[in-house]
């Protein structure tokens, strides 16, 4: 695989426009970016001890119960034969098989949780490139309140956003702008032609006009049809969701988010209320009860509107079973915290 054909990974925090960026990249004739089963997110805590067959088996089980089914059948024996001895080697072999089925030259991954695995990816595939996608954390928190994926409580989402931006910034500082490229959601939707051309320059691809009309493709249509949380995947690029927190967060929630995220917001050029850093943190019980109440409302809405609602439940059951083999002392990832 040449440098130009290395994979492209979107990193950062969920609810930041990663489906939009995935579909923009997928609209390029040379790039294939399926919706991710979040292999590394769910499997990296399991002590495989180099057992490739076990890693492949668990990855294939996740893929079989994926909430956004892939249009191609992945051959388990071929994955086993192509995979290295690491978990990401297995993941790479699965994605590469998808790439071949799509007739593309390179693959991409939009699992933003890969921000935790940048070094592992580069150890396996030194030619990988990362798009650090960042969005105003208040809008991220507002989006998460209505989504079936991620933390529903804005304060918890703010903590995640801060931690993941810190990881992405560290990756940029360690590997440099030739490997990690910062993309601000607000810039992407405000100046899509300019920003997508800059992304193409970074990944070494020629710009294609189809990237500006991602919503017209079959993959966008399918994604939008599966879940209310993905409905905007079928829309053209728009600035309508900039500032969504003004409608989606209360004043107290906004201050709580800013109290956690202010330092990173300043670095990333997001203005905030100077008084917010003094906002006291909500108590754990308030966060737990508030998050639970919102989650129940979101689940009820999903039951009525989402075509993949029961697939998501089956996926979560599968993940819980796999986690029983997690390393002792490693906190498991709560089910449902992915898109």
């Amino acid at each position: 695989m040449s440098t130009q054909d290395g994979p492209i990974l979107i990193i950062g925090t969920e609810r930041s426009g990663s489906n939009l960026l995935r579909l923009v990249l997928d609209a390029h004739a040379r790039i294939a970016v399926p919706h991710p089963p979040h292999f590394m997110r769910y499997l990296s805590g399991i002590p495989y001890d180099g057992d490739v067959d076990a890693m492949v088996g668990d990855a294939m089980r996740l893929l079989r119960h994926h909430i956004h089914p892939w249009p191609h059948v992945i051959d388990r024996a071929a994955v086993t034969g192509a995979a290295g001895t690491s978990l990401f080697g297995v993941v790479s072999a699965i994605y590469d098989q998808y790439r071949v089925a799509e007739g593309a030259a390179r693959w991409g991954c939009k699992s933003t949780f890969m921000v935790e695995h940048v070094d592992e990816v580069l150890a396996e595939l030194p030619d990988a490139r990362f798009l650090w996608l960042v969005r105003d954390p208040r809008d991220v928190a507002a989006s998460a309140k209505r989504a079936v994926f991620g933390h529903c409580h804005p304060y918890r989402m703010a903590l995640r956003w801060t931690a993941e931006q810190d990881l992405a910034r560290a990756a940029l500082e360690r590997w440099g702008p030739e490997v990690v490229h910062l993309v601000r959601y607000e810039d992407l939707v405000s100046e899509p032609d300019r920003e997508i051309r800059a992304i193409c320059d970074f990944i070494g691809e020629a710009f294609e006009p189809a990237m500006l009309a991602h919503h017209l493709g079959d993959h966008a249509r399918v994604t939008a049809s599966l879940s209310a949380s993905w409905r905007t995947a079928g829309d053209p690029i728009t600035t309508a969701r900039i500032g969504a927190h003004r409608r989606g967060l209360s004043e107290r929630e906004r201050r709580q988010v800013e109290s956690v995220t202010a330092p990173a917001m300043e670095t990333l050029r997001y203005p905030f209320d100077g008084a917010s850093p003094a906002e006291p943190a909500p108590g754990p019980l308030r966060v737990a009860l508030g998050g639970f109440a919102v989650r129940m409302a979101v689940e009820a809405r999903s039951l009525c509107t989402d075509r993949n609602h029961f697939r998501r439940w089956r996926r979560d059951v599968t993940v819980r079973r796999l986690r029983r083999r997690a390393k002792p002392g490693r906190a498991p990832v709560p089910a449902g915290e992915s898109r």
Side-chain angles (χ1 to χ4, degrees), residues 135-209:
R135 183 185 183 190
D136 187 320
R138 296 163 297 193
D139 290 349
V140 170
S143 178
K145 279 182 67 178
R146 293 187 56 81
V148 290
F149 314 107
H151 294 307
C152 285
H153 196 285
Y155 186 77
R156 292 188 68 195
M157 201 65 194
L159 292 172
R160 171 186 282 181
W161 184 90
T162 300
E164 289 173 337
Q165 306 324 303
D166 287 347
L167 287 172
R169 185 180 302 105
L172 174 58
E173 292 173 353
R174 176 170 182 176
W175 297 102
E178 297 80 17
V179 175
V180 181
H181 177 70
L182 175 62
V183 181
R184 295 174 81 253
Y185 169 83
E186 293 78 12
D187 296 337
L188 176 62
V189 298
S190 298
E191 297 286 347
D193 185 87
R194 182 193 69 191
E195 291 300 309
I196 294 171
R197 288 179 185 274
I199 289 169
C200 287
D201 288 343
F202 168 70
I203 61 177
E205 296 289 349
F207 169 79
E208 294 184 358

Side-chain angles (χ1 to χ4, degrees), residues 135-332:
R135 183 185 183 190
D136 187 320
R138 296 163 297 193
D139 290 349
V140 170
S143 178
K145 279 182 67 178
R146 293 187 56 81
V148 290
F149 314 107
H151 294 307
C152 285
H153 196 285
Y155 186 77
R156 292 188 68 195
M157 201 65 194
L159 292 172
R160 171 186 282 181
W161 184 90
T162 300
E164 289 173 337
Q165 306 324 303
D166 287 347
L167 287 172
R169 185 180 302 105
L172 174 58
E173 292 173 353
R174 176 170 182 176
W175 297 102
E178 297 80 17
V179 175
V180 181
H181 177 70
L182 175 62
V183 181
R184 295 174 81 253
Y185 169 83
E186 293 78 12
D187 296 337
L188 176 62
V189 298
S190 298
E191 297 286 347
D193 185 87
R194 182 193 69 191
E195 291 300 309
I196 294 171
R197 288 179 185 274
I199 289 169
C200 287
D201 288 343
F202 168 70
I203 61 177
E205 296 289 349
F207 169 79
E208 294 184 358
M211 302 174 80
L212 290 169
H214 73 281
H215 60 291
L216 300 179
D218 290 342
H219 290 176
R221 176 182 53 78
V222 171
T223 298
S225 72
L226 288 173
S227 171
S229 297
W230 299 333
R231 191 162 294 155
T232 58
D235 296 343
I237 297 173
T238 175
T239 60
R241 286 174 287 280
I242 294 178
H245 69 276
R246 297 186 183 96
R247 300 178 302 277
L249 297 182
S250 68
E251 278 300 300
R252 171 177 285 184
E253 289 171 335
R254 177 190 60 77
R255 292 194 302 270
Q256 288 173 349
V257 170
E258 291 179 355
S259 73
V260 174
T261 61
M265 288 181 70
E266 184 173 17
T267 300
L268 293 166
R269 298 184 287 119
Y270 291 111
F272 59 91
D273 184 343
S276 291
E279 178 74 14
L285 182 59
R286 180 183 292 273
V287 171
L289 291 177
F292 177 78
V294 175
R295 169 63 66 185
M296 291 301 100
V298 167
E299 288 289 348
R301 185 169 60 248
S302 174
L303 186 61
C304 298
T305 63
D306 292 353
R307 287 174 53 207
N308 65 351
H309 181 85
F310 292 105
R311 286 193 68 90
R312 179 167 57 83
W313 281 5
R314 286 195 295 269
R315 189 279 309 272
D316 290 348
V317 169
T318 299
V319 170
R320 287 189 178 93
R321 288 173 177 168
L322 294 175
R323 283 182 185 144
R324 291 172 184 167
R325 291 180 286 155
K327 293 178 180 178
R330 175 168 180 150

